[in-house]
Amino acid sequence: MSWRGFVAKVMYWPVRWLTRFEVIFDETISAETAADTGAQHVVYVMRSTSVTDLLVAQRALRDAGLPDPTDPLLINGTEHARVMYLEQAKADTSEAAIEEFLQLLESHEKESKLNVQLVPLGLFWGRKAGQELREGNTMVADLDNPGRWRKFWLVVFSGRNILVRGSRPVSLRRMTDQHGSSRRIAHKLARVARVHFVRLRHAVAGPKVAHRDRVIKELLASAALQKAIADEVKSKKISPEKAHQRAYDYLDEIAAKYSDTLVRMLDRFMGWMWSRIYNGIHVEGGERIRGLAQAGHEVIYVPCHRSHMDYLLLSYVIYKEGLVPPHIAAGVNLDFFPAGPLFRRGGAFFIRRSFKGNKLYSAVFREYLNRLFQKGYPVEYFTEGGRSRTGRLLSPKTGMIAMTIQGMLRGQQRPMSIVPVYIGYEHVMEVGTYLKELKGKSKEKESVWKVISSLRHLRNFGQGFVTFGAPINVGQTLDKLTPNWRDSITHGAEEPERPKWLTPTVNLVAEQIMQRINDAAGMNSVNLSALALLSAEHHTLSREELVAQLDVYTKLLRDVPYSKDAYVPAESGEELWQLAKRHDKFTVVADTMGEMIRLDGTSAIAMTYYRNNIMHMVIVPAIVAAFACAHHRFEIADVVKLLEQVQPLLKEELFISHTREDMKLWTQAIVDHMQTERMLTETEDGSYATTARDSSAYFKLELLARAAGETLQRYAILFELLQQGGPESRAQLEQASVELAERLSAMHGVNAPEFFDKKLLSALISTLKRQDLIEVNSEGNFVAHADVGELSDTIDRLLEPAVVQTIRQSVQRRLQD
């Protein structure tokens, strides 16, 4: 037995008792190794020769069903090392690891069917980033290869918090076929592996942490802030000392005070808390963000904002994905004791609602954000600017996106990627508060007492859903939108001037972000049940009808996916109802004929929040169904024409990512699915017809169609006012549309809070103007384009006659008054 083997045997049980680990392997490891005929042909690449690392890795690999690292690798009777240690290859004069790489490559030259998989394996004790060197300190601690005593203390104090991180395998077969088996290739393999581990540590632990006071001091001394302070002296006519103090106070208000110790403590607390208030967290796209981080990207997470839980949930999920939690731009309203100091240590930096008129604050914040980018800290911000009170995405606030792109103009070397994130819940704890605010109650100030009050009423919130959507590579996106953007890059210390192309480009990027958040949306038992019941008459369905309709939605979205990132549950309608019923959001009444499920009063209003989370996923199928029910026999070209006309409105209101050109193919796929489900039949002349009106299939089709009712009613209101109201100013048109929507809501029981939202209606008016459906006359008033009449009549046919009558009578009465 070798000396190393003897030490491992002696230390096995002490290390076993003192250590606990979490394992994250890329999903491709097990699949590729199992599929390969030589499944045991796996070689691990590790940075450290530590025996304790090897013992922990041995247990982790055994649990993953991968070969034991202490077992020899036999190739044609020749024994090879199962683990290669890069520590041996630190200097070019050391040949041990390179020699092992070379031997494996040469084995592949001799054996054509051989395919050894190289699996990089990193172990992180405590996931510490380490501290930036202080002035006068030249000692650098190697966190991957500490000395014996440092390793002893790591085992004692960090042994219960180890991350074992297995990266994507590298095929030596592919490497040999493409590059041969020379010593130069072996050198390159070792060099690439070292770079990989440096990036892996950065992804897992983040950049080295600097003391907060030092960060503030360095920022105040930067050329950009020195210039901003000088401008403040001139513009406000104050002393340099006072302007400097003001800048210091702003930085002190903004800056985070990240503590990896607190993050580890919060990880344990959050694990305990989530297990009590959630049934589980469903995560999609984790490998996507790990790949970005390991490729050296500056990752910027941009989630939708539903709840204060978003901050905690997303950071927890990212940490559990084996990545360092991001620095989070939090509203300054959350900087209250004791939450503020805790948030700061968790990586939060605080931002005011508005910078308007305060150039010094704006400069200070931009410089702080740019420092985060330059140092390589992942960042998170909510581009909606606040929590959605209706469950829909809010129009994006573009300030943070603009500052992100300006960061690229400061000579950012690392690629920068924005990751849109969908966050959804089966229960949002603030929904009751949102309803009160929508009814006119003032927003309550955040305080410790509100937090304690919320904690007192903790309950089971069902499942949480986090999906990391398709990332937006900022550099590549700018190349497409603004090919000459690099001309605006400055490599100096001062902030570059704001280029003219920035605002329109930022608006397009913001639109992409919101669309990709919705592309990653997730259906769940609650929002699907809410969608069905809110579409039903009197918000009531029999149990059998509800279960059948849940199947309609899930089958449709599986067969015709909204996007490749959208999540549709695999459960049946019955299973989904059983999950939804546990939340006590629905009234269940039983009689001799069975169970009826309904939504009553305030409950129905509250459930619009959950329905709105997924409305963008069903709006187009619902319009197709509404067209079919209204006409009973129709040409598919007519449906496509309508959808192409309203696509800009759907894009504005619901951030759908599908273009006008997509509507033809999408509509055909939906109609084909409806035909498969026997809701529609194809006639001899190639048109389509609905089934018998007394059939269950027609009932399902009609219930699907009702989901589009409120959206189509809003469009009908605007078109009727434009047609019949005559020339009006924008303000008059907005006010009239709000009043008419309120009247329609009262008369026909539309209880959705966003139905008569002035901001939403104003945005739709802007879209109609951009699409030239609204023209401006010589007096500056809005008038309808000639095409509005035909479109208005088409939409009116999709609505119930009583609703159309109310709209027309209300417009006529308004004209008479």
Side-chain angles (χ1 to χ4, degrees):
M1 180 184 293
S2 67
W3 171 251
R4 183 177 174 81
F6 173 75
V7 172
K9 194 166 185 178
V10 170
M11 294 179 62
Y12 179 83
W13 285 110
V15 171
R16 178 71 179 263
W17 291 328
L18 290 171
T19 58
R20 184 174 61 189
F21 56 83
E22 291 184 67
V23 182
I24 296 178
F25 286 132
D26 282 344
E27 295 172 9
T28 51
I29 290 181
S30 297
E32 287 196 23
T33 53
D36 193 88
T37 55
Q40 293 299 311
H41 288 161
V42 175
V43 171
Y44 307 106
V45 182
M46 297 177 66
R47 172 97 191 273
S48 170
T49 56
S50 164
V51 172
T52 50
D53 279 11
L54 183 64
L55 290 172
V56 173
Q58 186 179 28
R59 289 159 55 201
L61 293 167
R62 187 187 304 125
D63 291 348
L66 292 169
D68 191 310
T70 61
D71 291 342
L73 173 65
L74 295 175
I75 299 176
N76 293 330
T78 303
E79 187 173 304
H80 295 266
R82 178 73 71 175
V83 182
M84 295 184 181
Y85 298 103
L86 288 178
E87 185 181 69
Q88 302 171 33
K90 280 183 178 177
D92 289 339
T93 56
S94 177
E95 294 290 326
I98 294 172
E99 190 66 33
E100 290 171 349
F101 278 128
L102 181 58
Q103 290 175 13
L104 284 175
L105 290 170
E106 289 175 344
S107 297
H108 282 75
E109 289 277 19
K110 297 174 184 176
E111 179 65 54
S112 61
K113 294 183 179 180
L114 181 64
N115 185 15
V116 171
Q117 303 284 325
L118 282 183
V119 178
L121 198 65
L123 276 81
F124 302 92
W125 296 70
R127 297 169 68 169
K128 288 180 175 292
Q131 294 285 328
E132 281 191 2
L133 291 178
R134 298 187 180 183
E135 293 180 13
N137 186 359
T138 60
M139 296 292 292
V140 179
D142 189 338
L143 295 173
D144 291 305
N145 290 297
R148 286 191 178 91
W149 277 109
R150 185 181 290 273
K151 192 69 173 189
F152 171 78
W153 293 117
L154 277 176
V155 173
V156 172
F157 292 108
S158 300
R160 311 295 285 176
N161 185 30
I162 305 170
L163 175 66
V164 180
R165 181 72 182 84
S167 302
R168 186 185 300 274
V170 175
S171 168
L172 285 186
R173 171 82 275 146
R174 190 177 300 118
M175 181 69 67
T176 306
D177 290 345
Q178 293 177 356
H179 304 289
S181 59
S182 66
R183 185 170 291 274
R184 181 179 62 83
I185 298 302
H187 269 282
K188 183 177 180 180
L189 268 174
R191 186 168 59 252
V192 169
R194 287 198 297 271
V195 171
H196 170 82
F197 279 108
V198 170
R199 287 182 172 177
L200 184 61
R201 169 161 285 284
H202 190 281
V204 169
K208 293 185 182 297
V209 178
H211 194 276
R212 187 171 184 267
D213 291 341
R214 177 180 171 182
V215 172
I216 292 175
K217 181 180 177 182
E218 290 177 353
L219 286 171
L220 287 172
S222 68
L225 285 195
Q226 286 293 308
K227 182 179 184 301
I229 290 169
D231 291 344
E232 185 80 356
V233 170
K234 291 180 183 178
S235 63
K236 299 295 175 65
K237 295 182 172 54
I238 57 176
S239 67
E241 293 76 16
K242 188 171 183 179
H244 185 277
Q245 183 61 43
R246 188 171 292 175
Y248 175 88
D249 291 342
Y250 289 155
L251 276 170
D252 188 50
E253 176 186 302
I254 292 166
K257 191 177 183 179
Y258 184 80
S259 165
D260 48 27
T261 302
L262 178 70
V263 169
R264 290 197 305 274
M265 292 172 59
L266 286 175
D267 171 47
R268 295 183 182 181
F269 171 73
M270 291 301 165
W272 170 85
M273 187 174 77
W274 297 136
S275 67
R276 280 155 178 75
I277 66 175
Y278 288 110
N279 292 333
I281 310 297
H282 184 93
V283 180
E284 297 276 346
E287 190 172 0
R288 176 179 271 165
I289 59 169
R290 290 198 301 272
L292 285 174
Q294 287 171 215
H297 284 236
E298 169 65 21
V299 181
I300 300 158
Y301 301 96
V302 184
C304 59
H305 203 3
R306 312 286 194 213
S307 166
H308 280 318
M309 280 290 186
D310 298 344
Y311 300 100
L312 303 175
L313 180 60
L314 186 53
S315 291
Y316 176 78
V317 166
I318 291 170
Y319 190 76
K320 287 301 182 185
E321 288 295 325
L323 300 173
V324 62
H327 277 50
I328 307 168
V332 74
N333 59 305
L334 295 177
D335 189 15
F336 58 86
F337 184 82
L342 283 173
F343 287 158
R344 281 190 197 278
R345 285 169 174 78
F349 59 99
F350 292 95
I351 179 173
R352 295 183 180 182
R353 289 289 181 189
S354 174
F355 303 174
K356 193 174 181 180
N358 193 335
K359 291 184 178 180
L360 179 59
Y361 181 88
S362 181
V364 165
F365 187 84
R366 281 198 303 271
E367 198 65 16
Y368 179 78
L369 185 64
N370 185 63
R371 185 186 189 280
L372 295 180
F373 294 155
Q374 295 292 339
K375 291 291 184 179
Y377 293 98
V379 173
E380 172 190 333
Y381 54 75
F382 297 90
T383 192
E384 291 172 281
R387 291 166 293 159
S388 170
R389 267 61 178 172
T390 65
R392 293 169 179 254
L393 289 184
L394 304 176
S395 296
K397 310 292 184 185
T398 56
M400 291 293 289
I401 301 171
M403 283 186 270
T404 299
I405 293 177
Q406 285 175 303
M408 293 287 288
L409 303 183
R410 297 287 293 272
Q412 168 75 14
Q413 296 300 311
R414 301 166 67 229
M416 183 179 286
S417 286
I418 296 172
V419 179
V421 187
Y422 173 84
I423 303 177
Y425 306 90
E426 288 186 315
H427 176 78
V428 174
M429 64 172 64
E430 298 101 325
V431 162
T433 303
Y434 294 163
L435 293 179
K436 292 176 184 176
E437 291 176 12
L438 289 168
K439 290 179 179 178
K441 184 179 179 181
S442 299
K443 182 182 175 183
E444 296 181 24
K445 186 177 180 181
E446 309 294 348
S447 71
V448 66
W449 305 114
K450 280 192 69 179
V451 174
I452 293 172
S453 176
S454 297
L455 291 175
R456 282 195 305 109
H457 299 292
L458 280 182
R459 45 170 286 185
N460 188 284
F461 293 163
Q463 270 202 309
F465 297 82
V466 177
T467 302
F468 298 97
I472 298 170
N473 185 301
V474 177
Q476 293 175 3
T477 301
L478 291 178
D479 287 340
K480 292 177 182 177
L481 298 178
T482 312
N484 63 339
W485 70 274
R486 285 185 172 82
D487 296 341
S488 304
I489 293 178
T490 175
H491 295 284
E494 292 190 11
E495 186 178 345
E497 292 185 8
R498 187 183 179 96
K500 292 181 180 178
W501 55 260
L502 185 64
T503 297
T505 301
V506 164
N507 290 338
L508 290 172
V509 172
E511 187 178 90
Q512 280 189 34
I513 291 171
M514 307 312 284
Q515 289 173 357
R516 294 194 187 191
I517 289 173
N518 267 351
D519 280 351
M523 291 183 156
N524 60 58
S525 64
V526 172
N527 56 36
L528 284 167
S529 297
L531 176 64
L533 289 167
L534 290 170
S535 300
E537 281 192 62
H538 309 298
H539 302 155
T540 302
L541 291 170
S542 71
R543 176 183 174 136
E544 292 75 18
E545 290 169 341
L546 175 58
V547 167
Q549 197 64 23
L550 295 178
D551 280 326
V552 167
Y553 299 142
T554 53
K555 286 179 181 178
L556 172 60
L557 270 295
R558 287 191 211 113
D559 194 20
V560 189
Y562 176 78
S563 74
K564 63 181 181 180
D565 293 320
Y567 172 71
V568 180
E571 290 86 354
S572 67
E574 177 60 37
E575 290 169 330
L576 288 169
W577 166 239
Q578 291 301 325
L579 290 171
K581 188 168 66 171
R582 294 184 300 179
H583 295 285
D584 296 327
K585 297 179 182 295
F586 311 94
T587 301
V588 180
V589 179
D591 59 17
T592 57
M593 300 180 69
E595 288 184 344
M596 292 185 296
I597 297 100
R598 69 169 184 256
L599 293 171
D600 296 323
T602 304
S603 178
I605 300 173
M607 292 306 288
T608 62
Y609 188 95
Y610 302 98
R611 175 201 62 184
N612 289 346
N613 291 174
I614 58 168
M615 181 54 67
H616 64 283
M617 298 174 72
V618 297
I619 187 63
V620 169
I623 291 175
V624 173
F627 198 97
C629 290
H631 295 80
H632 299 296
R633 189 184 181 103
F634 63 94
E635 300 283 344
I636 197 166
D638 295 330
V639 190
V640 172
K641 181 181 177 181
L642 171 62
L643 286 168
E644 288 176 343
Q645 288 175 309
V646 299
Q647 183 272 344
L649 298 177
L650 298 175
K651 181 179 175 183
E652 175 67 42
E653 180 179 352
L654 296 170
F655 295 104
I656 66 168
S657 57
H658 301 268
T659 64
R660 276 180 170 173
E661 291 71 26
D662 295 333
M663 291 299 154
K664 183 176 181 179
L665 185 61
W666 194 5
T667 303
Q668 185 65 63
I670 292 167
V671 169
D672 288 346
H673 171 83
M674 290 176 174
Q675 186 181 355
T676 301
E677 294 297 313
R678 299 183 180 179
M679 297 178 189
L680 299 176
T681 58
E682 187 172 6
T683 62
E684 293 180 358
D685 61 359
S687 62
Y688 292 88
T690 58
T691 55
R693 299 190 67 175
D694 60 351
S695 67
S696 61
Y698 186 87
F699 177 80
K700 294 173 186 177
L701 185 69
E702 189 174 40
L703 199 57
L704 174 60
R706 286 174 175 268
E710 293 170 17
T711 298
L712 294 174
Q713 286 173 33
R714 266 191 300 275
Y715 301 165
I717 287 169
L718 285 172
F719 292 145
E720 193 68 26
L721 284 169
L722 286 168
Q723 270 191 288
Q724 307 299 332
E728 291 187 299
S729 68
R730 181 189 182 104
Q732 289 173 324
L733 182 59
E734 287 179 358
Q735 185 61 34
S737 62
V738 171
E739 290 174 355
L740 185 47
E742 288 176 340
R743 182 178 180 83
L744 200 64
S745 174
M747 293 186 66
H748 295 277
V750 181
N751 292 323
E754 78 281 356
F755 183 69
F756 43 82
D757 178 39
K758 185 175 181 178
K759 290 181 180 178
L760 175 57
L761 290 163
S762 176
L764 292 175
I765 290 170
S766 296
T767 303
L768 291 173
K769 186 172 181 293
R770 285 197 300 272
Q771 298 300 316
D772 296 325
L773 289 173
I774 290 179
E775 297 176 343
V776 181
N777 64 16
S778 59
E779 297 176 354
N781 290 325
F782 285 6
V783 294
H785 187 274
D787 293 342
V788 167
E790 182 185 350
L791 179 57
S792 178
D793 291 343
T794 301
I795 288 177
D796 284 350
R797 287 201 64 182
L798 308 187
L799 300 175
E800 295 178 8
V803 170
V804 176
Q805 185 72 4
T806 298
I807 293 172
R808 289 176 177 173
Q809 287 181 349
S810 299
V811 172
Q812 291 171 4
R813 188 173 294 112
R814 178 173 174 269
L815 291 174
Q816 293 171 359
D817 294 342

